[in-house]
Amino acid sequence: MLLSAWAPPAAADDPKPVVTLSKPEAAKGTEITASGTGWRPGTLLMLLVCGQSSPGQGVIGGTNSCANADGRAVTTDAKGAFSKPLPVAAPPKPCPCVVHVATVTGEQAVVDAELKITGHPVAPLPEQSGTGRLSVLTAPRLDGSSGILTWFGAPPSRTLVVTVGNLGSAPVKDPVFQVGTSHGVFAPQWEDRQWKGTVAPGGKAEVRLGFELSAGAHGDYQVSVRYGPKVLATQPWGVGRPWGVTLFWILLCLVVPAAVFRIGMAVVDKVRPSGAGHARRGRGGRPRWPVREPTAEPAPPPTANGATATTTTTALPWFTPDSAPTENRPNTPTTKGNP
């Protein structure tokens, strides 16, 4: 509930541009008024009367089918609307005819409004036997960024964005492009990428093509886009080194030898002989020598009545060993003075 209360309101969809005519049918040499809404504010528009056209298929043959000399220009107001008188001039191609309104500056937008011209010849629309020719109009760019997984060797990916224009006489529907990536002196590896949409003759569109490199790729790469046999654009891309993989291998080289050493020491400690004369090893691999226990003194022999004689000799501190009285020395009287 709290998240829904703080969520920003959804942005309304931008209105699509619309063109209406004051008369659906007019004679050659008369004048009609073309009005429009939903356009970008302050946008310069070009108004033309074109033959061999329909709102569904656009202007077949491009502006060569229009009365270019009698066209009009208009700028939309602050609300994206306009109203402009337009002379009904005879186009160089037969009808069906339309009033072709296209932007001159800013984002590309085209609207065709059907118009019947009285007294102008009418012919069925020709079969679209021409071919579309796509060309890059702006410099390509790469959108996207690398994440933490790419730092540990995940495949780097980007989106190649190019603006193409149709220079041919037929619309190009759902074109299939080829995206190639090359590293160093190696040839590009091409992969098919289909773009959903239609590029009308004389129109343009922004094409976004996603691609990715192999896992762990790094260095200087060249990204190219090709339509048919023609390479449309090439964009350099410097891919950073996956330093997380390098760090992993460094830690692996330190941990594995230490683990093998500990396992080897444990095996040696298990299989060595456990004799008294062999040094034992404690923790940390330090030798642990056997501790010699103190030996007990022999007990004195028993006496004749079976009791154990206890002999205790205590040296007095004021006697030296050679001057202490003993039992074998005879008793001598003490005399005063010199002997």
Side-chain angles (χ1 to χ4, degrees):
M1 296 297 292
L2 293 177
L3 293 177
S4 61
W6 282 99
D13 296 335
D14 294 336
K16 295 182 178 181
V18 178
V19 174
T20 57
L21 304 178
S22 59
K23 297 178 183 179
E25 183 176 357
K28 290 186 294 184
T30 61
E31 189 177 77
I32 60 174
T33 300
S35 304
T37 57
W39 298 82
R40 285 185 175 272
T43 302
L44 180 62
L45 305 178
M46 178 61 69
L47 285 68
L48 297 172
V49 177
C50 304
Q52 196 174 279
S53 309
S54 68
Q57 298 185 11
V59 179
I60 300 176
T63 55
N64 293 331
S65 302
C66 305
N68 298 312
D70 296 307
R72 295 291 184 269
V74 64
T75 302
T76 59
D77 58 14
K79 296 182 180 180
F82 72 91
S83 180
K84 185 71 174 180
L86 179 67
V88 181
K93 298 292 183 178
C95 285
C97 298
V98 298
V99 173
H100 181 73
V101 182
T103 56
V104 179
T105 59
E107 185 179 356
Q108 179 72 14
V110 176
V111 175
D112 296 324
E114 186 176 2
L115 174 66
K116 294 181 179 180
I117 301 178
T118 306
H120 193 70
V122 178
L125 295 176
E127 296 290 336
Q128 298 181 2
S129 57
T131 58
R133 294 187 296 112
L134 297 181
S135 178
V136 173
L137 302 180
T138 60
R141 71 176 189 271
L142 295 176
D143 287 353
S145 60
S146 300
I148 187 65
L149 295 180
T150 306
W151 201 69
F152 282 94
S157 61
R158 290 292 187 273
T159 299
L160 180 64
V161 182
V162 293
T163 301
V164 299
N166 187 0
L167 306 180
S169 59
V172 179
K173 183 178 181 181
D174 298 339
V176 177
F177 296 91
Q178 288 183 317
V179 179
T181 55
S182 60
H183 181 54
V185 298
F186 297 98
Q189 298 180 356
W190 300 99
E191 296 181 359
D192 293 340
R193 294 289 186 271
Q194 186 176 19
W195 180 75
K196 294 293 185 179
T198 302
V199 184
K204 63 179 181 179
E206 185 181 73
V207 178
R208 303 178 64 89
L209 306 172
F211 68 96
E212 69 178 15
L213 302 178
S214 59
H218 63 277
D220 296 330
Y221 281 80
Q222 292 286 339
V223 183
S224 305
V225 57
R226 182 172 68 180
Y227 180 68
K230 181 181 178 182
V231 177
L232 300 180
T234 301
Q235 177 70 16
W237 181 21
V239 185
R241 181 182 294 272
W243 292 108
V245 179
T246 305
L247 179 62
F248 170 78
W249 284 110
I250 292 176
L251 294 178
L252 189 65
C253 293
L254 296 177
V255 172
V256 170
V260 171
F261 177 76
R262 295 298 299 270
I263 294 174
M265 295 303 299
V267 172
V268 170
D269 191 65
K270 291 290 185 182
V271 300
R272 67 168 180 77
S274 57
H278 295 276
R280 296 183 180 180
R281 292 186 177 271
R283 294 184 179 180
R286 294 189 300 271
R288 188 174 60 191
W289 299 96
V291 180
R292 179 177 296 178
E293 298 179 357
T295 57
E297 296 183 358
T303 58
N305 56 3
T308 302
T310 302
T311 304
T312 303
T313 303
T314 303
L316 298 178
W318 54 86
F319 289 106
T320 59
D322 56 348
S323 63
T326 59
E327 297 178 356
N328 298 329
R329 180 176 297 180
N331 296 328
T332 58
T334 59
T335 58
K336 258 184 180 182
N338 294 328

